[in-house]
Structure formats: C-alpha cells, structure tokens
Amino acid sequence: MSEEIQAASDVTFKRVMLKISGEALMGDQGFGLHPPTVERIAREVQSVQELGVEICMVIGGGNIFRGLQGSAQGMERTTADYMGMLATVMNALAMQSSLESLGIHTRVISAITMNEVAEPYIRRRAVRHLEKKRVCIFAAGTGNPYFTTDTAAALRANEMACEAIFMGKNGVDGVYDKDPKKYPDAKRYDVVSYDDVLQKRLGVMDASAIALTRDNNLPIIVFSLDEPGGFKGILAGKGTHTRVQG
C-alpha cells in the first residue's frame, strides 16, 4: 500500500467543515487581513486536502466588520448584518487566492448573489465540487440577517453531508469550563455533550448552531489553529482537542 493510500485510510473523516473566525486571518494585527497568516492556514487546509479529505469552509468576518457590534453602536441591525456578510465574502476571496496559489482548486459560494466574484449557492453543484476534490468556501453566512456564521457552518455542513465540523480557535486548544486565558485553573474537556455546551454556556458556537448540530448528531471538533499540523493530526486521531457530541 502506498503512503498516500495509507494516509487516506487512516483519517477519521472523509468530508469535513472547517469553521474559522475572521479574526484568525488578521494575525497580530488588530484589524484586516494578514497575508502570511492566510497563507499559513491555507497550507493547513492543503495538508488535509492531500489526504483525500473533502473540505468545506466557512470564515467569519469579524476582522473587517461585525454586525452585532455595529448594531450596538446605533446602526440598524439588518443593515449591519448584511455588511458583516460582505466582510465574509472578502475573507473567502482572500482564502481562495491563497489556496489557488498552492495549486488547490477552490470555489467561493455566496448566499448573496454576486456573480462577478462568487458562485450562487446551489446545493447539488456544491456537492459536485466536493466530489471533484475542490475546496468549497461558503460565504455571506446564510444570506439572512440575525444568523451568525456559526449557524451558517452548521447549516452548510448538514446540507453537504459533512461528517464533522472542525472549529479552529485562536490560542485555545479545546473547550474549557471557563476562560483559560483568565483562569489558570480552567479545565479542558476531552468530550462534552451538546446539552452541557448550551446549559453551561461554554461558548463553542451560538445556541442555534449547537441545536442544529445536536438535532442532526453532527460532532464538533474544537482545536487550536496555532498548532502547525494540528488540523491534519486531529483527522488522524492525534493532537489535543475537544469533541462535542451527543
């Protein structure tokens, strides 16, 4: 058996959703995109894609604009949320550019129609892209205000028949009982239930997204994006992470 075939047989999932925040793309900057950081994450995706894993992505827009914060500062909520959706399209295009520079065929698929820069969301077409080993980046959330990119990731993951959602976090290698950045005695969960995440408000995803994953028995793997090779390692059953499941 060749090394490539052996590696593909060792991974635990064949199709996954990778959800990352917009803030993950800004590196040490306080705002915007940091191209070397985008490239580093793209290489993480490349390492997994080379195993034969089919990859979907959803990227937040908080590094450019966050609708909820805009609303809190007096902006009308629906308008603010649409602005946040447009920010996710910018991040998706940046990630697409970086992935394609590595030779990975990528499609940006937007829930808001903008034919000049992205494909419209058509489920069967998106599934076909995945079957052809193209990375699909779902942008503009669900296309509706009042829904976060967490909910968009859970929705698209279910529609694409993903086997798990991988939540890449900055500076945190799993789910803790309290903020490990503030409390040195915080304890990490190896496994935690959907209901505990909701009841204890553990902050993995918003409540709508957790409910959607729970109702469809879709596991969530929470890991650190800061660990080189972490995404690939966890797919092979190694590395520090927390699994959210029923």
Side-chain angles (χ1 to χ4, degrees):
M1 184 180 291
S2 70
E3 289 185 8
E4 183 178 347
I5 295 174
Q6 178 64 48
S9 67
D10 287 343
V11 298
T12 51
F13 303 106
K14 301 302 182 184
R15 180 181 294 175
V16 301
M17 166 66 72
L18 174 62
K19 167 63 171 71
I20 61 177
S21 67
E23 288 88 346
L25 303 185
M26 65 187 186
D28 294 330
Q29 303 173 156
F31 182 82
L33 289 158
H34 184 237
T37 299
V38 178
E39 181 184 354
R40 177 179 63 80
I41 295 173
R43 289 191 180 280
E44 292 285 315
V45 174
Q46 179 189 36
S47 70
V48 169
Q49 202 246 9
E50 288 174 345
L51 297 177
V53 178
E54 298 170 1
I55 303 173
C56 305
M57 294 183 71
V58 168
I59 306 171
N63 56 318
I64 299 171
F65 188 86
R66 188 179 292 278
L68 200 57
Q69 290 179 354
S71 176
Q73 294 174 14
M75 187 176 290
E76 195 270 324
R77 173 66 187 270
T78 300
T79 299
D81 279 354
Y82 277 118
M83 291 174 66
M85 291 179 217
L86 295 178
T88 72
V89 176
M90 295 173 68
N91 285 338
L93 291 173
M95 182 58 66
Q96 179 186 43
S97 177
S98 192
L99 286 168
E100 290 187 338
S101 73
L102 299 173
I104 298 172
H105 296 293
T106 308
R107 295 290 186 271
V108 172
I109 302 171
S110 174
I112 297 175
T113 303
M114 46 183 74
N115 292 330
E116 289 76 12
V117 297
E119 290 186 8
Y121 175 68
I122 300 172
R123 187 183 69 84
R124 287 180 179 271
R125 181 186 292 177
V127 169
R128 186 61 179 146
H129 286 321
L130 291 172
E131 290 171 349
K132 290 183 176 181
K133 307 304 179 185
R134 297 166 182 159
V135 174
C136 289
I137 307 175
F138 296 100
T142 66
N144 301 288
Y146 295 93
F147 290 92
T148 69
T149 50
D150 283 350
T151 302
L155 175 64
R156 299 296 185 231
N158 278 297
E159 289 180 299
M160 294 298 106
C162 292
E163 297 169 357
I165 298 177
F166 280 70
M167 292 285 294
K169 297 289 189 179
N170 298 331
V172 181
D173 58 0
V175 181
Y176 287 76
D177 59 353
K178 49 191 171 183
D179 190 345
K181 296 177 182 177
K182 296 180 180 178
Y183 303 97
D185 62 337
K187 295 182 180 179
R188 185 181 58 80
Y189 297 96
D190 288 325
V191 179
V192 64
S193 71
Y194 303 112
D195 289 338
D196 279 345
V197 168
L198 289 171
Q199 292 168 7
K200 297 178 181 180
R201 302 191 178 192
L202 297 177
V204 176
M205 302 174 94
D206 66 67
S208 297
I210 292 294
L212 190 54
T213 56
R214 178 190 60 192
D215 292 347
N216 293 278
N217 198 30
L218 181 65
I220 305 166
I221 312 296
V222 184
F223 71 104
S224 174
L225 271 177
D226 302 327
E227 185 68 29
F231 186 22
K232 178 179 178 180
I234 292 167
L235 271 161
K238 304 172 184 176
T240 304
H241 62 279
T242 297
R243 185 183 178 108
V244 182
Q245 61 185 32

